[in-house]
Amino acid sequence: MSARTDRLRPLTGHRLFWPALVLVAMIAANTVYRPGFLSVEVKEGHLYGTPVDILRLSAPLILVALGMTLVIATGGIDLSVGSLCAISGAIACLYISEAPDQNSLSTVCTALALTFGVALVLGAWNGVLVAVIGIQPIIATLILMVAGRGLAQLITEGQIITINSGPYRAIGLGHVLTLPLAVVIALAAALLVAAFTRRTALGLIVESVGGNAEASRLAGIRSGRIVFLVYVASAACAALAGFMMTANVSSADGNAAGLWIELDAILAVVIGGTSLAGGRFSLGGTVLGALIIQTLTTTVYAMNISPQTSLLFKAVVVIAVCLIQSPAFRARFSRRRGSTARPAPKQREKEQVPA
């Protein structure tokens, strides 16, 4: 038994083992509840099915969570990503709605470029507040979280801006090589971030800044510049997610777009094994965390759980996932189980003495 445990320890000790196990367990439970859960079919050259829908709907969360991972790795937090999603979608839809030809590809590209530039400026604002002025990240980003939601409302004038643009709709509902375009964009973004952070020294620099910013500065690393850049990158990811959210419904709602996605992104990062204290991070774990959250959301809706209790159900499951993958909790649980399974030494001696 101990030999088998020793062989499995490298596998169970991997940071992606427990998130992957939880995702597989959720898929298995859904398959039992709905036998056709994993069925995928091709219609008009496109893939359709519940797994494909989960991937497509999780794409915005994956994008936001990727940026949040870099921010958290430096020891910060970004609460403004939801507002940035709303602002990005509002600006893009407003520009397209006022264009004479909404189906013009140049109009859509101009709207995306303009909106992306605004998002980068807002991300730079967060970076300046944190890296230059020295405001606590939770306070600095809370400012834009509140003000940004109001800015999105001002852009839309409190109304829902609807558009009828095929090229823009394709961002959320289009397909490329039978796959949803949103999934392709999220995958490309994940590979791009992984290439910069794992194939270059940038990832180690980010982790060193999150581990000890002062020591990194004394070692010659410009910690302030790294912190500034991760907030800009987080804003860029949030802008892409905002495009997807508004493209899915061909409209922009300054109040509802991206609402509470910052909390889901933080949960995805934590479920993926990245510590909120900063330091080492896992992009693969973040993607798995986002898939777990979206699968959980799909499961809640499939079981017809009322919206009033779905958030509570979701919170309970997320807490359970975090406890399962916590090494300290598993070690304490295994020690307690071992102590209850084996009798005390004195008790064993008494049991061996004949009456």
Side-chain angles (χ1 to χ4, degrees):
M1 186 69 179
S2 61
R4 182 182 300 178
T5 304
D6 292 338
R7 288 196 300 267
L8 293 177
R9 185 171 290 116
L11 178 62
T12 58
H14 196 277
R15 65 171 65 186
L16 298 183
F17 174 78
W18 293 106
L21 182 63
V22 169
L23 181 59
V24 171
M26 293 178 63
I27 293 175
N30 276 279
T31 304
V32 172
Y33 182 75
R34 290 187 297 163
F37 178 79
L38 292 177
S39 62
V40 177
E41 56 183 350
V42 179
K43 292 182 179 179
E44 300 178 355
H46 306 322
L47 292 177
Y48 290 94
T50 303
V52 179
D53 291 336
I54 290 176
L55 290 175
R56 180 178 61 83
L57 294 174
S58 63
L61 179 57
I62 290 175
L63 287 171
V64 175
L66 287 174
M68 187 70 73
T69 302
L70 298 179
V71 172
I72 290 178
T74 62
I77 201 78
D78 191 353
L79 300 180
S80 65
V81 288
S83 297
L84 284 169
C85 290
I87 293 173
S88 301
I91 295 176
C93 288
L94 177 63
Y95 185 90
I96 295 174
S97 66
E98 296 179 348
D101 183 10
Q102 296 188 12
N103 290 307
S104 172
L105 184 60
S106 61
T107 298
V108 174
C109 290
T110 303
L112 296 180
L114 175 64
T115 305
F116 205 71
V118 173
L120 293 180
V121 171
L122 294 176
W125 165 261
N126 283 336
V128 169
L129 291 182
V130 177
V132 179
I133 300 180
I135 300 177
Q136 289 291 329
I138 192 172
I139 301 300
T141 57
L142 183 63
I143 296 173
L144 187 56
M145 175 185 177
V146 177
R149 188 66 62 175
L151 180 59
Q153 291 277 41
L154 287 175
I155 295 172
T156 61
E157 296 182 353
Q159 305 296 320
I160 298 178
I161 300 176
T162 58
I163 59 175
N164 185 19
S165 174
Y168 189 78
R169 191 185 304 113
I171 299 175
L173 301 176
H175 289 78
V176 174
L177 300 176
T178 73
L179 291 175
L181 180 58
V183 176
V184 175
I185 294 174
L187 178 60
L191 293 177
L192 182 63
V193 174
F196 274 103
T197 57
R198 296 310 183 194
R199 297 298 179 182
T200 68
L202 181 60
L204 293 176
I205 293 174
V206 170
E207 291 178 345
S208 66
V209 170
N212 192 323
E214 182 61 21
S216 299
R217 187 187 65 82
L218 294 176
I221 297 175
R222 297 184 177 181
S223 303
R225 180 176 295 181
I226 297 299
V227 172
F228 174 84
L229 289 177
V230 296
Y231 282 97
V232 174
S234 178
C237 292
L240 289 175
F243 298 153
M244 289 183 184
M245 294 174 187
T246 52
N248 281 331
V249 293
S250 295
S251 63
D253 186 349
N255 183 45
L259 190 63
W260 308 127
I261 195 174
E262 59 271 3
L263 302 184
D264 283 344
I266 295 171
L267 285 176
V269 174
V270 173
I271 291 174
T274 301
S275 173
L276 287 175
R280 296 185 63 187
F281 62 92
S282 172
L283 296 175
T286 295
V287 174
L288 280 177
L291 292 176
I292 288 173
I293 292 176
Q294 184 55 51
T295 304
L296 177 59
T297 303
T298 303
T299 303
V300 168
Y301 289 145
M303 292 182 176
N304 294 323
I305 298 177
S306 63
Q308 291 77 12
T309 59
S310 63
L311 293 178
L312 178 60
F313 178 81
K314 186 176 179 180
V316 171
V317 173
V318 169
I319 291 174
V321 172
C322 292
L323 289 178
I324 289 172
Q325 68 169 348
S326 171
F329 177 81
R330 294 200 306 272
R332 181 173 299 180
F333 180 77
S334 61
R335 286 198 303 267
R336 181 174 299 178
R337 184 177 59 181
S339 62
T340 56
R342 295 190 300 270
K346 292 183 179 180
Q347 184 178 353
R348 289 200 301 268
E349 292 176 0
K350 291 180 179 179
E351 291 176 352
Q352 293 175 358
V353 176

